Amino acid sequence: MENHSRSILFLMEQMIVILVFAFCAAVCVKIISEAHIITTRNYETKNSIITAESGAECFKAFSGDAAKIAATLEGIYTGTKENALIQVYYDEEWRVCQEEKAVYIMSISSYISSDFIALRIGDISVTKKTGEELLSFTTSTRKVEGQE
C-alpha cells in the first residue's frame, strides 16, 4: 500500500511540474506574439513617416503641382489643378506597386486655400488598404505664378 501511495504522490508531482511548464510556455508565447505585433506596428510607423515625408517634400518642391508630384512618386493623379488627389500604392515591403497588390496607400489632397489665394494646402495621409490610418498631417506651400 505504501508503494502505491508513493506512486500517486510522484504522479501528482509530475502533473504539477507539467502544469507549471505549460503555464510558463503559454506566457512566453503571449510575450513573443505581443513583441511581433509591436515590431510590425513600429515597422509600419517608420515607413509611413518616411513615405509621408517624401510626399511632403515633393509637394513643396513642386509647389503643389499634382501632375509633377504624381510623376515623381509614381502615383495616380485625379482631379483638377485646383483640387487634386494623388494616390501612391505600396506593397507589404513599401515598394511602389499597382493598386491590386497594394497593402498601404499614401494620399495627397492638394487644394488652394480659401483664406490666402497664394497658398496651396496639401493633406497627406498614409493608410492601410483596409482603411486603418497610420499617419496624417497637413502641409502648405506658396502657389507659383502661372499655376492655376
Side-chain angles (χ1 to χ4, degrees):
M1 201 64 165
E2 186 179 306
N3 217 6
H4 182 66
S5 65
R6 281 187 186 176
S7 297
I8 290 175
L9 287 175
F10 177 75
L11 287 174
M12 286 179 62
E13 182 182 346
Q14 292 301 312
M15 292 294 286
I16 290 170
V17 168
I18 289 171
L19 286 174
V20 168
F21 279 122
F23 176 76
C24 291
V27 169
C28 288
V29 167
K30 179 159 177 55
I31 290 170
I32 290 170
S33 68
E34 289 290 325
H36 177 70
I37 291 168
I38 290 169
T39 301
T40 302
R41 192 174 303 134
N42 287 342
Y43 175 76
E44 289 175 342
T45 301
K46 176 191 76 151
N47 284 303
S48 64
I49 289 169
I50 291 169
T51 301
E53 283 179 351
S54 294
E57 291 299 325
C58 283
F59 182 84
K60 288 184 177 268
F62 298 121
S63 300
D65 185 327
K68 290 180 181 177
I69 296 168
T72 301
L73 296 174
E74 301 178 48
I76 299 169
Y77 156 57
T78 57
T80 64
K81 285 190 176 187
E82 291 81 21
N83 293 310
L85 176 65
I86 302 137
Q87 290 190 309
V88 185
Y89 300 100
Y90 299 93
D91 64 11
E92 66 276 348
E93 294 181 7
W94 291 88
R95 295 179 300 218
V96 176
C97 68
Q98 300 296 320
E99 183 177 1
E100 305 81 45
K101 297 178 183 177
V103 176
Y104 306 100
I105 304 167
M106 177 176 62
S107 300
I108 303 174
S109 177
S110 174
Y111 55 93
I112 296 172
S113 169
S114 58
D115 297 332
F116 302 101
I117 200 73
L119 193 64
R120 184 169 281 281
I121 308 293
D123 293 327
I124 300 173
S125 67
V126 180
T127 60
K128 287 185 174 183
K129 196 166 185 180
T130 59
E132 178 187 346
E133 185 174 86
L134 300 173
L135 178 71
S136 177
F137 63 91
T138 301
T139 188
S140 63
T141 185
R142 289 185 175 266
K143 192 173 82 167
V144 173
E145 292 299 320
Q147 243 186 12
E148 307 203 9

